[in-house]
Amino acid sequence: MSNRIVLNTISYHGSGAIKEIPGELERRGFKKVFVCSDPDLVKFGVTAKVTDLLDEAGIAWELYSEIKPNPTIKNVQDGVAAFKAAEADSIVTIGGGSSMDTAKAIGIIINNPEFADVRSLEGVAPTKNHAVFTIAVPTTAGTAAEVTINYVITDPEKVRKFVCVDTNDAPEVAVVDPDMMASMPASLTAATGMDALTHAIEGYTTKGAWELTDMFHLKAIELIAKNLRDAVAEAKSGKPGSGREGMALAQYIAGMGFSNVGLGIDHAMAHTLSAHYDTPHGVACAMLLPIAMEFNKPVVAERLAEVAVAMGVNTEGMTTDEAADAAIDAVRQLSADVEIPQVCEAIKADELDQIADDALADACYPGNPRDADHDTVVELFRKIMA
Ligand SMILES: NC(=O)c1ccc[n+]([C@@H]2O[C@H](COP(=O)([O-])OP(=O)(O)OC[C@H]3O[C@@H](n4cnc5c(N)ncnc54)[C@H](O)[C@@H]3O)[C@@H](O)[C@H]2O)c1
Ligand SMILES: [Fe+2]
C-alpha cells in the first residue's frame, strides 16, 4: 500500500507574510483577482490589509463577500456567477474556513463546470482540472483550509453539511500571517484553536494515520497545548504576543496532517450540529472532543497516551489506560480554561435520531478508529445536551 501527501506548492509564515501576495500574482502574469472574503472581515478592515497591497501594486481586483459562516450552496453559486461577471483569472481568499471553502468550491466549478450544482462535489469528486489559481490567507487559527484538500458546504434544503475531498482544490499558495488574525475576539480564538486541536487529535487516531502525518499531528498538539491559552489571553487584552503566532503555525501543521488522512466521529457529529443548529464549527468540535476520545479509547489507548505526553502531561508511572485518561482530562481542562461551552442547548430530543443518522452518513465518519451504531451516536449527542 502507498500513502499520499498533498500540500501547498508554496506557503509563507509569520508576521508581514501578506507582503508576498502581489509578487506571487505578478510573476504568474495574472491580470484580475477575484477577492473572496466575508462581510464582517470587509467591515472590520481585515480584507483591506490585503487589497491595499493589491492597489499599491496596481493589480485589479473585484470583491465577492456574500458568504455566511457555514457557507451554503447559494454562496458558492452566486460566487461562480460573480467570478464570471468579474472576468477574473485568479482568486485571493481572505477569511476563516467559510471564505476559504467557498473560494475553493468556486475555483473548482469555474474550471469544472459540470459540477455547477455543487451537490455533486460531495465526497471524492472526479474533477478533471485543478481549481483556478488561488492564494489563501487565513484570518482564523483553526481550519487550515488554506492547506487542506477539503471544503465543507451547507445544503440548507436537506439540512446537512457535506464534505468535498479533491486534490484539485489545494490552494497553490498559502499565506499564514498572524497579523491577519489579530482582530479575532477571544471566543473565536478559543473555538478555532480547539478546532485545530480536534484536527490534530482525530488525525492522530484516525484509521489511516502513518508516520508522516503522526509527525505533523504530534507537533501541532504540542504547539496548541503551549499556545492556545496565551492566544486567548492576548485576544482579551488586545496585546499581540507569541500565543497568536504559535497558533497560526500550529493549526497549519495540523492541516498538513489531517488533510492527508482524514478525521473521525467528532467532525462527523460536529458537521451535523452546524447543519441543524448553525453551531460554530470550532465550538461543536470542542464540545464533542473529550466525548469522542472517551468513545475511541478502547481501540486507541496507546495513541491517546502519546497525546497526553504531547500536551505536556507527565505520564511517568501511569499505565497506558491512565495516561489516555490524562489526555482526555487535559483536553477538558484546556477547553474549560478557554471558556468553551460544555453543552449545546440547541439540540432537540426529537431530532436526535435524525442527527445521529446524519453523523453516520458524514464523509468524516469512516475514518473513525472505532465503529459506532445509531444508538451509540444518540448517546454521545446526549452527553452534550443541556
Ligand atoms: N476546509 C477544511 O479543511 C475545513 C476544516 C475545518 C473546518 N472547515 C469549515 O470552516 C468553517 C469554519 O471556519 P472558521 O472556524 O475559520 O470560521 P468562519 O470562517 O465561519 O468565521 C466565523 C466568524 O468569524 C469572523 N472572523 C474570521 N476571522 C476574523 C478575524 N480575524 N477577526 C474578526 N472576526 C473574524 C467571520 O467574519 C465570521 O463571522 C466551517 O464551515 C467548517 O466546516 C473547513
Ligand atoms: Fe474542523
Side-chain angles (χ1 to χ4, degrees), residues 156-203:
E157 250 175 66
K158 298 191 175 156
V159 202
R160 58 191 295 268
K161 261 184 117 160
F162 57 92
V163 181
C164 310
V165 184
D166 187 348
T167 55
N168 278 330
D169 75 38
E172 282 86 346
V173 180
V175 179
V176 188
D177 184 335
D179 297 350
M180 293 298 289
M181 300 154 186
S183 51
M184 273 201 291
S187 58
L188 186 64
T189 306
T192 53
M194 289 300 293
D195 181 25
L197 182 64
T198 311
H199 295 156
I201 293 178
E202 285 211 289

mmCIF file of all heavy atoms in Angstrom, residues 156-203:
data_model
loop_
_atom_site.group_PDB
_atom_site.id
_atom_site.type_symbol
_atom_site.label_atom_id
_atom_site.label_comp_id
_atom_site.label_asym_id
_atom_site.label_seq_id
_atom_site.Cartn_x
_atom_site.Cartn_y
_atom_site.Cartn_z
ATOM 1 N N PRO A 156 -28.898 23.876 2.870
ATOM 2 C CA PRO A 156 -29.987 24.207 3.790
ATOM 3 C C PRO A 156 -31.270 23.435 3.487
ATOM 4 O O PRO A 156 -32.008 23.090 4.400
ATOM 5 C CB PRO A 156 -30.201 25.712 3.583
ATOM 6 C CG PRO A 156 -29.019 26.195 2.830
ATOM 7 C CD PRO A 156 -28.488 25.036 2.061
ATOM 8 N N GLU A 157 -31.502 23.119 2.204
ATOM 9 C CA GLU A 157 -32.720 22.374 1.851
ATOM 10 C C GLU A 157 -32.747 21.007 2.511
ATOM 11 O O GLU A 157 -33.761 20.571 3.037
ATOM 12 C CB GLU A 157 -32.722 22.154 0.334
ATOM 13 C CG GLU A 157 -33.774 22.944 -0.410
ATOM 14 C CD GLU A 157 -33.594 22.734 -1.891
ATOM 15 O OE1 GLU A 157 -33.788 21.612 -2.375
ATOM 16 O OE2 GLU A 157 -33.206 23.728 -2.554
ATOM 17 N N LYS A 158 -31.604 20.348 2.491
ATOM 18 C CA LYS A 158 -31.536 18.992 3.059
ATOM 19 C C LYS A 158 -31.030 19.017 4.499
ATOM 20 O O LYS A 158 -30.799 17.973 5.107
ATOM 21 C CB LYS A 158 -30.633 18.108 2.195
ATOM 22 C CG LYS A 158 -31.176 17.959 0.780
ATOM 23 C CD LYS A 158 -30.463 16.892 -0.003
ATOM 24 C CE LYS A 158 -31.147 16.727 -1.352
ATOM 25 N NZ LYS A 158 -30.290 16.168 -2.379
ATOM 26 N N VAL A 159 -30.832 20.208 5.042
ATOM 27 C CA VAL A 159 -30.341 20.410 6.417
ATOM 28 C C VAL A 159 -29.117 19.551 6.687
ATOM 29 O O VAL A 159 -29.054 18.796 7.663
ATOM 30 C CB VAL A 159 -31.434 20.149 7.483
ATOM 31 C CG1 VAL A 159 -31.082 20.857 8.780
ATOM 32 C CG2 VAL A 159 -32.788 20.607 7.005
ATOM 33 N N ARG A 160 -28.134 19.662 5.801
ATOM 34 C CA ARG A 160 -26.890 18.926 6.057
ATOM 35 C C ARG A 160 -25.690 19.678 5.503
ATOM 36 O O ARG A 160 -25.813 20.521 4.617
ATOM 37 C CB ARG A 160 -26.949 17.505 5.504
ATOM 38 C CG ARG A 160 -27.216 17.388 4.020
ATOM 39 C CD ARG A 160 -27.504 15.946 3.675
ATOM 40 N NE ARG A 160 -26.346 15.090 3.898
ATOM 41 C CZ ARG A 160 -25.442 14.799 2.958
ATOM 42 N NH1 ARG A 160 -25.537 15.292 1.748
ATOM 43 N NH2 ARG A 160 -24.412 14.012 3.236
ATOM 44 N N LYS A 161 -24.551 19.356 6.123
ATOM 45 C CA LYS A 161 -23.286 19.896 5.626
ATOM 46 C C LYS A 161 -22.599 18.770 4.895
ATOM 47 O O LYS A 161 -22.646 17.632 5.363
ATOM 48 C CB LYS A 161 -22.405 20.278 6.837
ATOM 49 C CG LYS A 161 -22.420 21.737 7.183
ATOM 50 C CD LYS A 161 -21.469 22.027 8.304
ATOM 51 C CE LYS A 161 -20.389 22.951 7.819
ATOM 52 N NZ LYS A 161 -19.708 23.660 8.910
ATOM 53 N N PHE A 162 -21.949 19.047 3.782
ATOM 54 C CA PHE A 162 -21.238 17.950 3.135
ATOM 55 C C PHE A 162 -19.776 18.313 2.873
ATOM 56 O O PHE A 162 -19.432 19.458 2.603
ATOM 57 C CB PHE A 162 -21.948 17.451 1.866
ATOM 58 C CG PHE A 162 -22.195 18.501 0.824
ATOM 59 C CD1 PHE A 162 -21.256 18.730 -0.189
ATOM 60 C CD2 PHE A 162 -23.350 19.248 0.832
ATOM 61 C CE1 PHE A 162 -21.485 19.674 -1.177
ATOM 62 C CE2 PHE A 162 -23.591 20.218 -0.147
ATOM 63 C CZ PHE A 162 -22.655 20.429 -1.155
ATOM 64 N N VAL A 163 -18.958 17.292 2.998
ATOM 65 C CA VAL A 163 -17.516 17.466 2.857
ATOM 66 C C VAL A 163 -17.109 17.054 1.452
ATOM 67 O O VAL A 163 -17.528 16.012 0.961
ATOM 68 C CB VAL A 163 -16.758 16.584 3.884
ATOM 69 C CG1 VAL A 163 -15.244 16.785 3.754
ATOM 70 C CG2 VAL A 163 -17.219 16.871 5.302
ATOM 71 N N CYS A 164 -16.306 17.895 0.793
ATOM 72 C CA CYS A 164 -15.792 17.583 -0.532
ATOM 73 C C CYS A 164 -14.286 17.378 -0.399
ATOM 74 O O CYS A 164 -13.611 18.184 0.244
ATOM 75 C CB CYS A 164 -16.064 18.739 -1.493
ATOM 76 S SG CYS A 164 -17.780 19.278 -1.452
ATOM 77 N N VAL A 165 -13.792 16.320 -0.984
ATOM 78 C CA VAL A 165 -12.369 15.998 -0.908
ATOM 79 C C VAL A 165 -11.840 15.941 -2.327
ATOM 80 O O VAL A 165 -12.369 15.178 -3.144
ATOM 81 C CB VAL A 165 -12.156 14.629 -0.214
ATOM 82 C CG1 VAL A 165 -10.661 14.345 -0.042
ATOM 83 C CG2 VAL A 165 -12.886 14.563 1.122
ATOM 84 N N ASP A 166 -10.841 16.777 -2.631
ATOM 85 C CA ASP A 166 -10.417 16.881 -4.023
ATOM 86 C C ASP A 166 -8.995 17.452 -4.064
ATOM 87 O O ASP A 166 -8.772 18.596 -3.654
ATOM 88 C CB ASP A 166 -11.402 17.824 -4.754
ATOM 89 C CG ASP A 166 -11.157 17.866 -6.256
ATOM 90 O OD1 ASP A 166 -10.117 17.358 -6.712
ATOM 91 O OD2 ASP A 166 -12.024 18.414 -6.955
ATOM 92 N N THR A 167 -8.065 16.678 -4.578
ATOM 93 C CA THR A 167 -6.682 17.185 -4.640
ATOM 94 C C THR A 167 -6.593 18.401 -5.568
ATOM 95 O O THR A 167 -5.651 19.184 -5.475
ATOM 96 C CB THR A 167 -5.702 16.105 -5.140
ATOM 97 O OG1 THR A 167 -6.179 15.631 -6.380
ATOM 98 C CG2 THR A 167 -5.599 14.959 -4.168
ATOM 99 N N ASN A 168 -7.570 18.562 -6.448
ATOM 100 C CA ASN A 168 -7.563 19.725 -7.356
ATOM 101 C C ASN A 168 -7.904 21.031 -6.649
ATOM 102 O O ASN A 168 -7.857 22.090 -7.277
ATOM 103 C CB ASN A 168 -8.564 19.508 -8.502
ATOM 104 C CG ASN A 168 -7.977 18.648 -9.596
ATOM 105 O OD1 ASN A 168 -6.766 18.663 -9.809
ATOM 106 N ND2 ASN A 168 -8.811 17.888 -10.274
ATOM 107 N N ASP A 169 -8.319 20.966 -5.385
ATOM 108 C CA ASP A 169 -8.719 22.220 -4.735
ATOM 109 C C ASP A 169 -7.648 22.795 -3.803
ATOM 110 O O ASP A 169 -7.850 23.853 -3.208
ATOM 111 C CB ASP A 169 -10.058 22.063 -3.994
ATOM 112 C CG ASP A 169 -9.942 21.288 -2.701
ATOM 113 O OD1 ASP A 169 -8.950 21.449 -1.983
ATOM 114 O OD2 ASP A 169 -10.875 20.535 -2.392
ATOM 115 N N ALA A 170 -6.508 22.135 -3.667
ATOM 116 C CA ALA A 170 -5.482 22.659 -2.757
ATOM 117 C C ALA A 170 -4.980 24.005 -3.286
ATOM 118 O O ALA A 170 -4.502 24.083 -4.420
ATOM 119 C CB ALA A 170 -4.319 21.677 -2.663
ATOM 120 N N PRO A 171 -5.102 25.081 -2.494
ATOM 121 C CA PRO A 171 -4.582 26.376 -2.978
ATOM 122 C C PRO A 171 -3.087 26.261 -3.285
ATOM 123 O O PRO A 171 -2.346 25.653 -2.518
ATOM 124 C CB PRO A 171 -4.829 27.319 -1.790
ATOM 125 C CG PRO A 171 -5.947 26.679 -1.026
ATOM 126 C CD PRO A 171 -5.732 25.199 -1.180
ATOM 127 N N GLU A 172 -2.654 26.851 -4.383
ATOM 128 C CA GLU A 172 -1.223 26.795 -4.727
ATOM 129 C C GLU A 172 -0.380 27.491 -3.671
ATOM 130 O O GLU A 172 0.704 27.044 -3.329
ATOM 131 C CB GLU A 172 -0.957 27.459 -6.086
ATOM 132 C CG GLU A 172 -1.331 26.612 -7.274
ATOM 133 C CD GLU A 172 -2.792 26.766 -7.649
ATOM 134 O OE1 GLU A 172 -3.568 27.316 -6.848
ATOM 135 O OE2 GLU A 172 -3.150 26.318 -8.757
ATOM 136 N N VAL A 173 -0.882 28.634 -3.179
ATOM 137 C CA VAL A 173 -0.091 29.424 -2.229
ATOM 138 C C VAL A 173 -0.909 29.672 -0.966
ATOM 139 O O VAL A 173 -2.080 30.057 -1.037
ATOM 140 C CB VAL A 173 0.318 30.787 -2.852
ATOM 141 C CG1 VAL A 173 1.152 31.606 -1.862
ATOM 142 C CG2 VAL A 173 1.102 30.589 -4.157
ATOM 143 N N ALA A 174 -0.309 29.434 0.200
ATOM 144 C CA ALA A 174 -0.936 29.796 1.478
ATOM 145 C C ALA A 174 -0.092 30.883 2.124
ATOM 146 O O ALA A 174 1.145 30.828 2.087
ATOM 147 C CB ALA A 174 -1.014 28.579 2.397
ATOM 148 N N VAL A 175 -0.768 31.880 2.681
ATOM 149 C CA VAL A 175 -0.052 32.972 3.350
ATOM 150 C C VAL A 175 -0.587 33.043 4.784
ATOM 151 O O VAL A 175 -1.689 33.525 5.032
ATOM 152 C CB VAL A 175 -0.272 34.309 2.602
ATOM 153 C CG1 VAL A 175 0.453 35.436 3.325
ATOM 154 C CG2 VAL A 175 0.227 34.199 1.155
ATOM 155 N N VAL A 176 0.188 32.502 5.708
ATOM 156 C CA VAL A 176 -0.270 32.355 7.087
ATOM 157 C C VAL A 176 0.393 33.442 7.930
ATOM 158 O O VAL A 176 1.505 33.281 8.430
ATOM 159 C CB VAL A 176 0.060 30.939 7.631
ATOM 160 C CG1 VAL A 176 -0.590 30.729 8.999
ATOM 161 C CG2 VAL A 176 -0.412 29.874 6.645
ATOM 162 N N ASP A 177 -0.305 34.557 8.009
ATOM 163 C CA ASP A 177 0.253 35.754 8.641
ATOM 164 C C ASP A 177 -0.523 36.026 9.932
ATOM 165 O O ASP A 177 -1.709 36.383 9.884
ATOM 166 C CB ASP A 177 0.091 36.930 7.650
ATOM 167 C CG ASP A 177 0.730 38.216 8.145
ATOM 168 O OD1 ASP A 177 0.877 38.361 9.372
ATOM 169 O OD2 ASP A 177 1.066 39.065 7.296
ATOM 170 N N PRO A 178 0.106 35.852 11.101
ATOM 171 C CA PRO A 178 -0.640 36.017 12.362
ATOM 172 C C PRO A 178 -1.269 37.397 12.517
ATOM 173 O O PRO A 178 -2.274 37.534 13.213
ATOM 174 C CB PRO A 178 0.408 35.761 13.457
ATOM 175 C CG PRO A 178 1.711 35.649 12.783
ATOM 176 C CD PRO A 178 1.502 35.461 11.317
ATOM 177 N N ASP A 179 -0.728 38.411 11.825
ATOM 178 C CA ASP A 179 -1.322 39.751 11.911
ATOM 179 C C ASP A 179 -2.744 39.766 11.341
ATOM 180 O O ASP A 179 -3.561 40.599 11.720
ATOM 181 C CB ASP A 179 -0.470 40.792 11.167
ATOM 182 C CG ASP A 179 0.904 40.941 11.786
ATOM 183 O OD1 ASP A 179 1.114 40.389 12.896
ATOM 184 O OD2 ASP A 179 1.780 41.565 11.163
ATOM 185 N N MET A 180 -3.023 38.861 10.403
ATOM 186 C CA MET A 180 -4.374 38.794 9.816
ATOM 187 C C MET A 180 -5.385 38.229 10.823
ATOM 188 O O MET A 180 -6.582 38.281 10.609
ATOM 189 C CB MET A 180 -4.361 37.916 8.556
ATOM 190 C CG MET A 180 -3.585 38.492 7.400
ATOM 191 S SD MET A 180 -4.251 40.070 6.816
ATOM 192 C CE MET A 180 -5.781 39.557 6.029
ATOM 193 N N MET A 181 -4.872 37.656 11.917
ATOM 194 C CA MET A 181 -5.749 37.039 12.928
ATOM 195 C C MET A 181 -5.903 37.937 14.152
ATOM 196 O O MET A 181 -6.577 37.582 15.124
ATOM 197 C CB MET A 181 -5.166 35.684 13.349
ATOM 198 C CG MET A 181 -5.037 34.729 12.178
ATOM 199 S SD MET A 181 -3.747 33.500 12.432
ATOM 200 C CE MET A 181 -3.738 32.675 10.835
ATOM 201 N N ALA A 182 -5.254 39.120 14.097
ATOM 202 C CA ALA A 182 -5.158 39.978 15.293
ATOM 203 C C ALA A 182 -6.510 40.450 15.797
ATOM 204 O O ALA A 182 -6.679 40.674 16.991
ATOM 205 C CB ALA A 182 -4.270 41.183 14.976
ATOM 206 N N SER A 183 -7.484 40.591 14.905
ATOM 207 C CA SER A 183 -8.775 41.135 15.335
ATOM 208 C C SER A 183 -9.738 40.060 15.841
ATOM 209 O O SER A 183 -10.876 40.374 16.202
ATOM 210 C CB SER A 183 -9.412 41.904 14.177
ATOM 211 O OG SER A 183 -9.429 41.091 13.027
ATOM 212 N N MET A 184 -9.303 38.809 15.886
ATOM 213 C CA MET A 184 -10.211 37.763 16.391
ATOM 214 C C MET A 184 -10.556 38.013 17.843
ATOM 215 O O MET A 184 -9.654 38.187 18.676
ATOM 216 C CB MET A 184 -9.521 36.391 16.320
ATOM 217 C CG MET A 184 -9.669 35.671 15.018
ATOM 218 S SD MET A 184 -9.369 33.897 15.251
ATOM 219 C CE MET A 184 -7.646 33.835 15.612
ATOM 220 N N PRO A 185 -11.851 38.007 18.201
ATOM 221 C CA PRO A 185 -12.186 38.082 19.624
ATOM 222 C C PRO A 185 -11.761 36.803 20.351
ATOM 223 O O PRO A 185 -11.459 35.789 19.705
ATOM 224 C CB PRO A 185 -13.715 38.220 19.614
ATOM 225 C CG PRO A 185 -14.167 37.777 18.266
ATOM 226 C CD PRO A 185 -13.009 37.952 17.320
ATOM 227 N N ALA A 186 -11.739 36.863 21.689
ATOM 228 C CA ALA A 186 -11.248 35.718 22.476
ATOM 229 C C ALA A 186 -12.061 34.451 22.197
ATOM 230 O O ALA A 186 -11.494 33.356 22.061
ATOM 231 C CB ALA A 186 -11.297 36.068 23.964
ATOM 232 N N SER A 187 -13.384 34.599 22.077
ATOM 233 C CA SER A 187 -14.214 33.396 21.900
ATOM 234 C C SER A 187 -13.918 32.704 20.562
ATOM 235 O O SER A 187 -13.896 31.477 20.479
ATOM 236 C CB SER A 187 -15.698 33.762 21.993
ATOM 237 O OG SER A 187 -15.997 34.737 21.013
ATOM 238 N N LEU A 188 -13.653 33.497 19.518
ATOM 239 C CA LEU A 188 -13.340 32.914 18.207
ATOM 240 C C LEU A 188 -11.938 32.294 18.224
ATOM 241 O O LEU A 188 -11.706 31.229 17.636
ATOM 242 C CB LEU A 188 -13.446 33.994 17.121
ATOM 243 C CG LEU A 188 -13.288 33.547 15.675
ATOM 244 C CD1 LEU A 188 -14.414 32.595 15.254
ATOM 245 C CD2 LEU A 188 -13.259 34.751 14.726
ATOM 246 N N THR A 189 -11.016 32.957 18.924
ATOM 247 C CA THR A 189 -9.664 32.399 19.071
ATOM 248 C C THR A 189 -9.754 31.025 19.740
ATOM 249 O O THR A 189 -9.105 30.059 19.317
ATOM 250 C CB THR A 189 -8.800 33.337 19.946
ATOM 251 O OG1 THR A 189 -8.833 34.646 19.381
ATOM 252 C CG2 THR A 189 -7.364 32.869 20.038
ATOM 253 N N ALA A 190 -10.582 30.954 20.787
ATOM 254 C CA ALA A 190 -10.724 29.697 21.537
ATOM 255 C C ALA A 190 -11.363 28.617 20.666
ATOM 256 O O ALA A 190 -10.859 27.489 20.571
ATOM 257 C CB ALA A 190 -11.571 29.936 22.779
ATOM 258 N N ALA A 191 -12.475 28.969 20.008
ATOM 259 C CA ALA A 191 -13.215 27.960 19.242
ATOM 260 C C ALA A 191 -12.388 27.448 18.067
ATOM 261 O O ALA A 191 -12.295 26.237 17.835
ATOM 262 C CB ALA A 191 -14.534 28.546 18.742
ATOM 263 N N THR A 192 -11.749 28.365 17.327
ATOM 264 C CA THR A 192 -10.998 27.916 16.154
ATOM 265 C C THR A 192 -9.735 27.155 16.593
ATOM 266 O O THR A 192 -9.333 26.194 15.952
ATOM 267 C CB THR A 192 -10.656 29.093 15.209
ATOM 268 O OG1 THR A 192 -10.008 30.131 15.948
ATOM 269 C CG2 THR A 192 -11.912 29.670 14.584
ATOM 270 N N GLY A 193 -9.158 27.570 17.715
ATOM 271 C CA GLY A 193 -7.990 26.850 18.244
ATOM 272 C C GLY A 193 -8.351 25.427 18.655
ATOM 273 O O GLY A 193 -7.588 24.483 18.440
ATOM 274 N N MET A 194 -9.536 25.258 19.239
ATOM 275 C CA MET A 194 -9.978 23.905 19.615
ATOM 276 C C MET A 194 -10.324 23.077 18.381
ATOM 277 O O MET A 194 -10.195 21.854 18.403
ATOM 278 C CB MET A 194 -11.175 23.985 20.572
ATOM 279 C CG MET A 194 -10.834 24.493 21.964
ATOM 280 S SD MET A 194 -9.603 23.489 22.872
ATOM 281 C CE MET A 194 -10.518 21.973 23.146
ATOM 282 N N ASP A 195 -10.762 23.735 17.299
ATOM 283 C CA ASP A 195 -10.968 23.016 16.026
ATOM 284 C C ASP A 195 -9.625 22.424 15.588
ATOM 285 O O ASP A 195 -9.540 21.250 15.214
ATOM 286 C CB ASP A 195 -11.522 23.995 14.977
ATOM 287 C CG ASP A 195 -11.794 23.366 13.616
ATOM 288 O OD1 ASP A 195 -12.013 22.142 13.559
ATOM 289 O OD2 ASP A 195 -11.823 24.120 12.611
ATOM 290 N N ALA A 196 -8.579 23.253 15.670
ATOM 291 C CA ALA A 196 -7.250 22.775 15.265
ATOM 292 C C ALA A 196 -6.800 21.604 16.151
ATOM 293 O O ALA A 196 -6.233 20.622 15.653
ATOM 294 C CB ALA A 196 -6.236 23.915 15.345
ATOM 295 N N LEU A 197 -7.072 21.690 17.468
ATOM 296 C CA LEU A 197 -6.697 20.579 18.357
ATOM 297 C C LEU A 197 -7.476 19.317 17.978
ATOM 298 O O LEU A 197 -6.921 18.208 17.991
ATOM 299 C CB LEU A 197 -6.970 20.958 19.823
ATOM 300 C CG LEU A 197 -6.559 19.879 20.845
ATOM 301 C CD1 LEU A 197 -5.041 19.655 20.836
ATOM 302 C CD2 LEU A 197 -7.031 20.244 22.253
ATOM 303 N N THR A 198 -8.740 19.501 17.611
ATOM 304 C CA THR A 198 -9.555 18.343 17.197
ATOM 305 C C THR A 198 -8.979 17.724 15.926
ATOM 306 O O THR A 198 -8.891 16.499 15.806
ATOM 307 C CB THR A 198 -11.024 18.770 16.984
ATOM 308 O OG1 THR A 198 -11.456 19.520 18.116
ATOM 309 C CG2 THR A 198 -11.924 17.565 16.809
ATOM 310 N N HIS A 199 -8.550 18.570 14.975
ATOM 311 C CA HIS A 199 -7.910 18.036 13.758
ATOM 312 C C HIS A 199 -6.692 17.193 14.134
ATOM 313 O O HIS A 199 -6.487 16.108 13.602
ATOM 314 C CB HIS A 199 -7.439 19.166 12.838
ATOM 315 C CG HIS A 199 -8.557 19.997 12.285
ATOM 316 N ND1 HIS A 199 -8.381 21.301 11.865
ATOM 317 C CD2 HIS A 199 -9.873 19.717 12.104
ATOM 318 C CE1 HIS A 199 -9.547 21.767 11.439
ATOM 319 N NE2 HIS A 199 -10.457 20.833 11.583
ATOM 320 N N ALA A 200 -5.888 17.736 15.049
ATOM 321 C CA ALA A 200 -4.631 17.051 15.374
ATOM 322 C C ALA A 200 -4.904 15.732 16.113
ATOM 323 O O ALA A 200 -4.282 14.707 15.810
ATOM 324 C CB ALA A 200 -3.745 17.972 16.216
ATOM 325 N N ILE A 201 -5.841 15.741 17.057
ATOM 326 C CA ILE A 201 -6.089 14.508 17.831
ATOM 327 C C ILE A 201 -6.864 13.485 16.986
ATOM 328 O O ILE A 201 -6.516 12.299 16.977
ATOM 329 C CB ILE A 201 -6.815 14.833 19.159
ATOM 330 C CG1 ILE A 201 -5.871 15.647 20.062
ATOM 331 C CG2 ILE A 201 -7.274 13.549 19.859
ATOM 332 C CD1 ILE A 201 -6.470 16.080 21.392
ATOM 333 N N GLU A 202 -7.874 13.944 16.244
ATOM 334 C CA GLU A 202 -8.579 12.974 15.376
ATOM 335 C C GLU A 202 -7.644 12.469 14.284
ATOM 336 O O GLU A 202 -7.683 11.291 13.923
ATOM 337 C CB GLU A 202 -9.808 13.623 14.715
ATOM 338 C CG GLU A 202 -10.983 13.807 15.639
ATOM 339 C CD GLU A 202 -12.317 13.724 14.911
ATOM 340 O OE1 GLU A 202 -12.644 14.654 14.157
ATOM 341 O OE2 GLU A 202 -13.031 12.720 15.094
ATOM 342 N N GLY A 203 -6.802 13.364 13.750
ATOM 343 C CA GLY A 203 -5.862 12.955 12.704
ATOM 344 C C GLY A 203 -4.845 11.952 13.232
ATOM 345 O O GLY A 203 -4.388 11.068 12.500
#
